Amino acid sequence: MDKIVVRGGVSLHGEITVSGAKNAALPLVFASLLTDGECTLQRVPHLVDIRTALRLLRDLGVQYDWLSDNHLALCARTVRHYEAPYALVKTMRASFLVLGPLLARFGRARVSTPGGCAIGARPVNIHLDGLQRLGASIRLHHGYVEAQAKRLRGAYIPLDFPSVGATENLMMAATLADGTTVIDNAAREPEIEDLATMLNAMGARITGAGTPTITIDGVDSLHGAVHEVIPDRVEAGTFLIAGAITSGDLFVRGARADHLTTFLAKLRETGTHVEEQAGGIRVVGTGRPSGVEIITRPYPGFPTDLQAQTMAFLCLGDGRSVITETIFENRFLHAQELVRLGADIRLAGNTAIVHGVAMLSGAPVMATDLRASVSLILAGLAADGITEVSRVYHLDRGYERIEEKLASLGADIRRIKE
Ligand code: EPZ
């Protein structure tokens, strides 16, 4: 397992370009199952999770080609079977997003339930309840969801929670249903809007994406489309923290401020200088951040995917911060590793109390999940001495060559292949 070694104390300077959004590209590649036409996606990031998704699609019979770097063509004309095996779904839970498209286009699917992960139980009940409302018969058997439907029927679907994945699965399924579907209390993330944009380009009739109420008028079939993936707001936020925590001066090209409103407001509240410019966002670190209160919420609230990175920054604050995680029940795994670097963090249920310290000191630490791993690298960039982050396979799932990107900004960072 590879390790990443960081020597802290270097202020980052320069410009970095954000890749396409992982959490947009994943539902987008699965949407190709809805048509026998060719779907072409631009700005697809080269990530382990994308490779896993493409492995699953190829296993189903979907053809795909990388036309150029980050430019991907997919065609689901010849789907051979309708099963997503446990081996693939357990390595990447987003594979569960093949359920809606397979059911809508072929009337059947057998998809392994994803199971839990490090950050929480992550059930799929909201997905399944919605598909049943669309007329699917659902059976849970030997760890698999077995779903069937002659033809899905439009329905009113109130979500108990604005689940991102459930909104995506149900929106895709409803595009080919007979009649109109209304998803209420829908997730509002930019990745939902991006998926709706591509589905409409494929001939779907979706309105309201990005609001709590999405309406989908079912059609008989969809055709291929060309679509550019939105920039990754989580990667953008990660680089903004990298600039702030090292008291550097970075321009994050491609970052969209309208996708990061709550996060940017909180970053400014810490005293960090954040400038929205044409084509991206500039961050200038101004020393130790002021303590702030953070509560993660569904979009457009503070994003849970930037909670660990922000905690790393607040560990060096000149005051007390209180961070409450409301989306996942176990998303503080990075806290104990940050404490190894000298941070003062106390956990009480889903709340972390962080008392800022003047200095962190480098040490060997272990990554536990995707965003936790990058928070340890961010802390290492500012810590005194050497920080070694092990199990960086977590990192590679969601960040494209991050150590090269950080090194291009001046960081003393390298990957050691074990
Ligand atoms: C998506 O996961 C993202 N992943 C996550 O990013 C992100 O943290 C999450 O949305 C929240 O924003 C992708 O888009 C691939 P949810 P998803 O369904 O769809 C509960 C990353 O780091 N829930 O909105 O799985 C669930 O347990 C990843 O890039 C149910 O109870 O998130 C969780 O507590 C991590 N029943 C909450 O809702 C359900 O049927 C949010 O889950 C579905 C979800």
Side-chain angles (χ1 to χ4, degrees):
M1 285 186 260
D2 293 3
K3 273 195 288 200
I4 285 193
V5 180
V6 193
R7 177 184 295 279
V10 178
S11 289
L12 302 190
H13 287 80
E15 172 174 319
I16 192 73
T17 298
V18 175
S19 300
K22 166 178 85 81
N23 292 348
L26 288 170
L28 289 169
V29 296
F30 292 133
S32 67
L33 288 164
L34 288 163
T35 175
D36 59 6
E38 179 169 283
C39 294
T40 303
L41 292 173
Q42 293 151 353
R43 195 163 46 187
V44 178
H46 284 288
L47 303 170
V48 168
D49 273 7
I50 297 294
R51 285 200 289 279
T52 304
L54 293 175
R55 207 161 56 241
L56 170 55
L57 286 170
R58 186 168 49 213
D59 185 66
L60 290 169
V62 177
Q63 275 122 31
Y64 69 85
D65 280 307
W66 288 101
L67 305 179
S68 67
D69 220 19
N70 307 106
H71 198 161
L72 178 66
L74 301 120
C75 184
R77 192 185 313 281
T78 55
V79 170
R80 285 194 297 267
H81 63 81
Y82 315 109
E83 178 160 329
Y86 175 60
L88 281 173
V89 179
K90 81 170 162 47
T91 54
M92 188 192 64
R93 59 177 293 106
S95 310
F96 199 69
L97 292 174
V98 301
L99 179 58
L102 286 174
L103 197 51
R105 178 145 172 247
F106 303 105
R108 51 191 288 216
R110 185 170 185 268
V111 179
S112 166
T113 51
C117 77
I119 62 176
R122 304 188 74 180
V124 288
N125 57 307
I126 300 172
H127 299 243
L128 301 182
D129 172 66
L131 291 173
Q132 282 172 320
R133 288 170 183 269
L134 289 171
S137 75
I138 302 278
R139 189 166 80 124
L140 286 173
H141 200 48
H142 298 306
Y144 279 76
V145 171
E146 297 178 351
Q148 290 201 339
K150 268 206 181 335
R151 183 173 182 192
L152 296 173
R153 286 189 317 278
Y156 172 71
I157 308 175
L159 301 189
D160 284 348
F161 181 85
S163 154
V164 172
T167 302
E168 290 165 346
N169 238 335
L170 296 170
M171 191 162 71
M172 288 191 281
T175 55
L176 296 175
D178 180 15
T180 297
T181 296
V182 173
I183 303 175
D184 236 344
N185 193 27
R188 300 165 57 188
E189 275 71 2
E191 293 75 27
I192 305 281
E193 279 191 87
D194 205 37
L195 177 59
T197 301
M198 176 164 151
L199 291 170
N200 283 339
M202 294 166 68
R205 294 167 56 199
I206 301 170
T207 53
T211 77
T213 305
I214 302 177
T215 302
I216 306 108
D217 291 322
V219 294
D220 292 335
S221 68
L222 296 178
H223 49 72
V226 178
H227 180 78
E228 182 176 64
V229 182
I230 53 172
D232 193 317
R233 60 193 168 96
V234 178
E235 186 194 20
T238 303
F239 283 120
L240 291 173
I241 294 281
I245 202 171
T246 61
S247 296
D249 184 342
L250 284 192
F251 181 66
V252 183
R253 182 166 293 286
R256 284 187 50 172
D258 61 326
H259 287 172
L260 287 164
T261 50
T262 318
F263 170 75
L264 295 181
K266 201 50 79 176
L267 204 49
R268 288 188 172 109
E269 202 182 314
T270 67
T272 303
H273 177 74
V274 178
E275 220 173 291
E276 296 165 30
Q277 294 179 352
I281 301 173
R282 182 184 176 211
V283 62
V284 182
T286 52
R288 295 176 65 184
S290 308
V292 292
E293 170 149 22
I294 288 175
I295 304 175
T296 65
R297 293 283 188 213
Y299 193 90
F302 190 94
T304 175
D305 291 348
L306 283 169
Q307 177 257 107
Q309 299 91 318
T310 308
M311 183 188 285
F313 182 38
L314 296 171
C315 287
L316 284 163
D318 65 2
R320 187 179 91 131
S321 293
V322 180
I323 301 172
T324 304
E325 172 59 60
T326 71
I327 306 295
F328 292 107
E329 59 269 37
N330 188 30
R331 203 171 196 178
F332 283 145
L333 294 169
H334 43 286
Q336 291 321 317
E337 298 302 303
L338 290 167
V339 167
R340 280 185 48 71
L341 299 177
D344 177 350
I345 305 170
R346 279 176 227 133
L347 299 182
N350 67 344
T351 295
I353 313 284
V354 181
H355 285 94
V357 295
M359 177 54 78
L360 294 175
S361 59
V365 287
M366 189 173 74
T368 52
D369 63 273
L370 168 54
R371 307 303 176 181
S373 50
V374 84
S375 76
L376 300 176
I377 288 183
L378 293 171
L381 289 171
D384 175 40
I386 302 279
T387 297
E388 281 191 5
V389 183
S390 60
R391 301 193 178 184
V392 290
Y393 58 84
H394 291 290
L395 199 66
D396 297 331
R397 293 191 51 182
Y399 291 95
E400 192 175 4
R401 299 175 292 100
I402 194 163
E403 73 274 9
E404 292 172 25
K405 289 186 173 182
L406 290 171
S408 74
L409 299 168
D412 181 346
I413 184 170
R414 65 189 192 288
R415 177 184 292 255
I416 297 179
K417 291 222 170 285
E418 289 275 302

